[in-house]
Amino acid sequence: MNNSKSYYDQIARNYGEQATARINYLDAIDHLIITDVNGKNIENYLDIGAGDGRRSIKISNNISVNNVTLLDESSEMLNKLQDSKFDIVNESFLDFNSTKKYDLITCLWNVIGHLPDKKSRILFFDKISNLLSDNGAFYFDVNNRYNISNYGYKNVMITLDKDNYNAANRGWFTIGAEETKTNVYIH
């Protein structure tokens, strides 16, 4: 079983296709963030799990922001970035250290689902709290394993059945082809 970094390194070349398949959802979340922070003074913006940067670029181009930091542990995903005006950091958020305070932090498309356990999730949210400015905003989204419109009725019923009989592993799924398999938590 690979870690998430290996998984995203492997799928980087086809990541745009996956994003295109979910474009309506991704655009709706981006629009919500842009609308909510538009007109606010955003000095520093951090995107955790920035991937290929498409969404970070879209958000930053539609708000008033001075400094943008894109953080991702997948070097292959970050290699897809074409814009050098951003600070690009190639490491895990749990390893990321900064004295800078951020007015906007995003963590989009179930990045939190790649944290391996509850202890890591608590540490994650503690770090977010320490990095946010006093009036800062943190936006994240997670995948819903009972989303019938995305997974279909049959798959949701299978998941419900699995959840009822395997409470200890409830929410954990394996994604990726054999050579890229990784575990992810679907909320």
Side-chain angles (χ1 to χ4, degrees):
M1 188 74 58
N2 290 308
N3 59 27
S4 292
K5 177 194 176 318
S6 299
Y7 171 76
Y8 282 99
D9 280 348
Q10 290 293 317
I11 69 161
R13 66 183 173 277
N14 298 319
Y15 187 73
E17 295 169 19
Q18 290 185 25
T20 299
R22 299 283 308 272
I23 198 69
N24 291 337
Y25 170 76
L26 301 177
D27 282 349
I29 298 297
D30 297 347
H31 178 73
L32 175 89
I33 295 166
I34 292 165
T35 301
D36 199 37
V37 302
N38 203 6
K40 295 180 181 172
N41 183 25
I42 307 292
E43 179 67 28
N44 297 307
Y45 166 32
L46 170 65
D47 187 14
I48 303 164
D52 64 1
R54 180 193 76 82
R55 297 178 75 191
S56 316
I57 293 167
K58 178 181 177 183
I59 291 168
S60 65
N61 284 342
N62 284 282
I63 63 173
S64 177
V65 60
N66 293 326
N67 303 298
V68 179
T69 302
L70 306 181
L71 175 72
D72 202 294
E73 63 183 350
S74 169
S75 58
E76 294 300 316
M77 291 297 282
L78 291 173
N79 285 340
K80 300 181 87 48
L81 285 164
Q82 303 294 316
D83 201 321
S84 62
K85 71 178 181 179
F86 303 115
D87 295 327
I88 298 171
V89 180
N90 182 210
E91 67 183 338
S92 162
F93 176 69
L94 296 179
D95 296 328
F96 177 68
N97 291 308
S98 176
T99 57
K100 190 182 292 187
K101 293 290 187 176
Y102 294 90
D103 304 303
L104 174 61
I105 299 176
T106 56
C107 184
L108 305 174
W109 204 0
N110 203 45
V111 169
I112 294 170
H114 291 278
L115 295 168
D117 52 36
K118 184 178 180 178
K119 182 179 175 183
S120 297
R121 288 188 290 278
I122 291 169
L123 179 60
F124 176 90
F125 285 107
D126 281 345
K127 277 190 93 157
I128 293 293
S129 177
N130 290 326
L131 288 170
L132 270 176
S133 66
D134 289 342
N135 293 316
F138 172 51
Y139 295 86
F140 69 98
D141 64 340
V142 295
N143 290 354
N144 175 352
R145 66 181 177 268
Y146 306 125
N147 181 344
I148 290 175
S149 66
N150 188 62
Y151 300 118
Y153 179 78
K154 181 179 176 183
N155 287 331
V156 168
M157 293 310 294
I158 290 168
T159 298
L160 282 166
D161 189 52
K162 178 181 158 188
D163 283 354
N164 284 330
Y165 291 104
N166 192 5
N169 292 316
R170 183 179 297 167
W172 286 101
F173 293 83
T174 300
I175 59 172
E178 192 61 39
E179 65 278 0
T180 63
K181 277 186 183 178
T182 190
N183 287 327
V184 65
Y185 187 81
I186 308 294
H187 297 79

